[in-house]
Amino acid sequence: MRGGKLVAALLLIVFMTGCQIKMKKTTEHALDLKNIDAAVKPGTDFYHYAVGNWLKKNPIPKEYSSWGSFSILSEENLHRLKGIMEEAEKVKRGEGGGERIEQLVGDFYATGMDEKKIEAEGTKPLQPEFDKIAGISDTNGLVKAIAHLHRGAAGPLFNFGVGADPADSDLNIAQLFQGGLNLPDRDYYLKDDAATKKVRTAYVGHVKKVFQLMGETKQQADRDAAVVLAIETGLAKVSRSKVELRDPKKNYNPMGLKQLAGLASRFNWPLYFSELALPEWKTYLRFCLVNENAGYLNSAFVNENFEFYGRTLNGAQQLMPRWKRTVGIVSGDLDQAVGQLYAREYFPPQAKARAVEMVENIRAVFRGRIKGLDWMSAATKQRALKKLAAMTLKIGYPDKWKDYSGLTLQRDSYISNALRVSEFEFRRDIKKVGKPVDRTEWYMSPQTVNASYDPSKNDITFPAGILQPPFFNATADDAVNYGGIGSVIGHEMTHGFDDEGGKYDAHGNLKDWWTAADAVKFKQKAKGLVDQFGGYQPFRGLAVNGELTLGENIADLGGVTLSFNALKKVIAKDHPGPIDGLKPEQRFFLAYAQVWRNNTRDERAKLLIKVDPHSPAMYRVNGPLSNLAEFYTAFGIATGEAMYKAPNKRVEIW
Ligand SMILES: [Zn+2]
């Protein structure tokens, strides 16, 4: 488990089934009108009008907890990556010096598919780790064991990582983040409503079963599960909420080692540790080690892990077949090795050229809109424009790939390979401390179906994985592409100016560049969105958290606004006519809704409302659009309809 990045407000996104990009210019199927549910009026619920039929006809497959454009494309990627990995598996050791990447991918994949061996060895490859934990005899030993696990095997207590110093974005520093919880959020340990209690009880049951699978008696497993819950509850109590964690200034507490040691001593670690006693800490460490690595172990652990994390928390009904799980793990762990092989086959250069052009068109619109803002002073505008101009672009795949020399994998054991990769990544990371930041480095793999903004680098990333239909379709009309990938581009750009990303300057430093008066005005406008989204109730009594989702909602609203205005310029220049009886303005909004179509199981939907900074798909469509005058015009939305907001109730920020 690697230290998470503070950065990257991600855009969890979506897809439609993509035949590979055809180079023939055609607009057929760019927008599938059969998805529309004509029984719903656009003004009542645009999301269900635009994709209602699709939602009805596409139930969630048993292996999935949600199904939409995103998961469909990811599923398609699994098949592509399987082909790549099977080819890599055939590469013979030592054959052709240039085959290192294939060797790594092939070895890892081969061990991951060797079911017989995985079943036979059980947790045996973890024995050296168990021995280390068992050998802890004092507080120092405990601290050492934790540090050892943080090299990649597990992430007990807190997370460690390396990243840019928020105050000096050119310098890499060691970073500590809260962590150590094996449930998705601190609230699961602290809240006492019936739904939370039910999950907590199921979690304790899961912990017990894991200990039993490790060979403990039922009685011992009962006691050990109680210990794990007690330790994690203690951590939860001192953890910040997801909303509090959205304030980068509060998360930034720079200190030297001496100061950290001083802080730790004031905290009285010896007492803290002795209160719970060493054996109990050992219990917690053993659990973290096995629980976090369950996916690499034999079927008993894999199944138990699925029962809790897959079924109970997310509502999935069936474990994915081994090949899908293995492909997913290899693709994630060897991100750029797999990425190189993927990009070679699945990223046409035409896609890059067109996407770059769209980015620049949208940047030009953004520039014009900043200049025209009626609520921002000239001084702040100047700095905003500087930041926008300085924003760099990463598209498709990195110019320079991660250097994997020093990593050797074998065809001996799946979990051993996983630990080798983690240890390699840890060493690679730790070497960066105190060194300059490499601004060209990528944190998303090319095969990822997503996009991101990194505030410390002030850059936006669009991996090859997202530059496919329905986001991006080289053969589609402009309206469809601006509604899809254009809105994504605008979304990521806007992250540089949301309530979180806007606290970083043009060079990626956490430094205030707003005048006090402008900051207040921005906050007032943002409050409008907090209230709007806080008013949405996906489940009775369970509302969207307007504070948690604020940054993403600002980005969604900004993204669709910027992209629509970029399309307007195209319309003014090219005068495109209607297609299938729909004007470009209408096709834009339908394409926007199309990328967000998504069926989600209730379990997962409820989990995401607690932990996901993105609003549920339906509100990512209906929320922003109900603030856009151009949307009202395109579909003739009238007073009194559910989507209608009076002009003075509409929010416009960027
Ligand atoms: Zn986002």
Side-chain angles (χ1 to χ4, degrees), residues 420-432:
R420 285 167 190 140
V421 175
S422 300
E423 168 77 20
F424 166 80
E425 291 289 352
F426 178 84
R427 275 186 276 123
R428 194 178 157 273
D429 255 5
I430 201 84
K431 266 191 246 164
K432 295 180 197 164

Side-chain angles (χ1 to χ4, degrees), residues 242-311:
K242 296 253 188 258
V243 170
E244 288 165 331
L245 286 172
R246 294 197 64 254
D247 184 340
K249 284 183 189 164
K250 282 196 184 140
N251 293 339
Y252 183 49
N253 302 287
M255 58 187 78
L257 265 184
K258 262 191 194 156
Q259 205 185 341
L260 179 65
L263 184 78
S265 75
R266 277 204 302 284
F267 189 64
N268 203 347
W269 287 99
L271 179 68
Y272 185 61
F273 284 133
S274 67
E275 265 183 15
L276 274 158
L278 284 178
E280 306 205 343
W281 281 104
K282 292 183 188 181
T283 299
Y284 168 66
L285 297 188
R286 277 194 301 135
F287 174 70
C288 287
L289 176 64
V290 171
N291 194 52
E292 290 178 37
N293 290 294
Y296 303 101
L297 297 175
N298 55 332
S299 56
F301 287 97
V302 168
N303 290 336
E304 176 49 37
N305 193 66
F306 170 77
E307 284 304 317
F308 183 67
Y309 291 101
R311 194 188 301 271

Side-chain angles (χ1 to χ4, degrees), residues 305-325:
N305 193 66
F306 170 77
E307 284 304 317
F308 183 67
Y309 291 101
R311 194 188 301 271
T312 305
L313 279 184
N314 285 290
Q317 292 172 358
Q318 192 178 299
L319 181 68
M320 281 191 175
R322 170 164 295 282
W323 76 263
K324 286 190 191 174
R325 287 180 277 131

Side-chain angles (χ1 to χ4, degrees), residues 58-374:
N58 290 274
I60 306 166
K62 286 187 171 165
E63 295 164 9
Y64 282 84
S65 51
S66 71
W67 191 244
S69 306
F70 173 82
S71 32
I72 292 170
L73 205 74
S74 292
E75 166 79 12
E76 199 176 298
N77 258 357
L78 286 177
H79 288 268
R80 290 171 165 187
L81 293 168
K82 177 172 181 257
I84 286 171
M85 289 180 197
E86 283 172 348
E87 283 306 306
E89 199 184 352
K90 292 180 200 152
V91 175
K92 291 211 177 66
R93 191 158 296 279
E95 193 178 83
E99 307 275 51
R100 274 205 52 82
I101 294 304
E102 283 86 345
Q103 195 84 66
L104 293 173
V105 172
D107 284 349
F108 202 178
Y109 180 70
T111 53
M113 291 304 290
D114 193 346
E115 192 149 27
K116 232 171 118 185
K117 188 154 197 192
I118 292 168
E119 290 306 318
E121 64 184 14
T123 59
K124 220 164 121 201
L126 288 178
Q127 198 52 48
E129 305 293 331
F130 288 133
D131 292 345
K132 273 200 183 83
I133 295 170
I136 298 170
S137 59
D138 56 16
T139 314
N140 278 344
L142 175 62
V143 173
K144 268 190 199 161
I146 291 167
H148 170 75
L149 288 171
H150 280 171
R151 294 182 75 87
L157 260 99
F158 56 88
N159 293 320
F160 173 83
V162 177
D165 182 345
D168 177 5
S169 62
D170 290 321
L171 179 70
N172 276 313
I173 56 167
Q175 300 179 342
L176 302 176
F177 316 100
Q178 70 180 41
L181 305 180
N182 287 291
L183 279 168
D185 187 56
R186 68 163 197 177
D187 283 0
Y188 286 101
Y189 300 89
L190 306 179
K191 290 206 165 159
D192 271 325
D193 57 283
T196 304
K197 272 178 156 164
K198 203 173 143 197
V199 171
R200 197 156 60 228
T201 304
Y203 176 60
V204 173
H206 163 68
V207 181
K208 273 183 207 170
K209 279 184 196 147
V210 170
F211 278 119
Q212 283 181 274
L213 291 173
M214 288 160 75
E216 291 188 358
T217 63
K218 201 182 163 300
Q219 289 73 14
Q220 186 61 39
D222 272 352
R223 284 196 291 273
D224 284 353
V227 166
V228 168
L229 186 70
I231 290 181
E232 293 188 4
T233 304
L235 290 170
K237 283 180 184 160
V238 295
S239 296
R240 286 189 185 155
S241 72
K242 296 253 188 258
V243 170
E244 288 165 331
L245 286 172
R246 294 197 64 254
D247 184 340
K249 284 183 189 164
K250 282 196 184 140
N251 293 339
Y252 183 49
N253 302 287
M255 58 187 78
L257 265 184
K258 262 191 194 156
Q259 205 185 341
L260 179 65
L263 184 78
S265 75
R266 277 204 302 284
F267 189 64
N268 203 347
W269 287 99
L271 179 68
Y272 185 61
F273 284 133
S274 67
E275 265 183 15
L276 274 158
L278 284 178
E280 306 205 343
W281 281 104
K282 292 183 188 181
T283 299
Y284 168 66
L285 297 188
R286 277 194 301 135
F287 174 70
C288 287
L289 176 64
V290 171
N291 194 52
E292 290 178 37
N293 290 294
Y296 303 101
L297 297 175
N298 55 332
S299 56
F301 287 97
V302 168
N303 290 336
E304 176 49 37
N305 193 66
F306 170 77
E307 284 304 317
F308 183 67
Y309 291 101
R311 194 188 301 271
T312 305
L313 279 184
N314 285 290
Q317 292 172 358
Q318 192 178 299
L319 181 68
M320 281 191 175
R322 170 164 295 282
W323 76 263
K324 286 190 191 174
R325 287 180 277 131
T326 306
V327 166
I329 281 177
V330 175
S331 173
D333 287 8
L334 289 176
D335 55 349
Q336 289 206 13
V338 174
Q340 282 185 58
L341 304 176
Y342 177 86
R344 250 182 237 169
E345 280 191 52
Y346 296 107
F347 188 58
Q350 296 92 325
K352 184 166 182 166
R354 182 113 181 249
V356 169
E357 184 191 324
M358 288 179 73
V359 167
E360 292 315 323
N361 289 349
I362 290 167
R363 194 198 305 256
V365 166
F366 205 171
R367 191 160 49 231
R369 291 183 68 85
I370 289 172
K371 284 179 187 165
L373 291 174
D374 59 7

Side-chain angles (χ1 to χ4, degrees), residues 9-11 491-492 495 552 555 614 620:
L10 306 182
L11 171 75
H491 172 106
E492 301 305 342
H495 270 315
E552 295 300 332
H614 305 87
R620 296 190 74 167

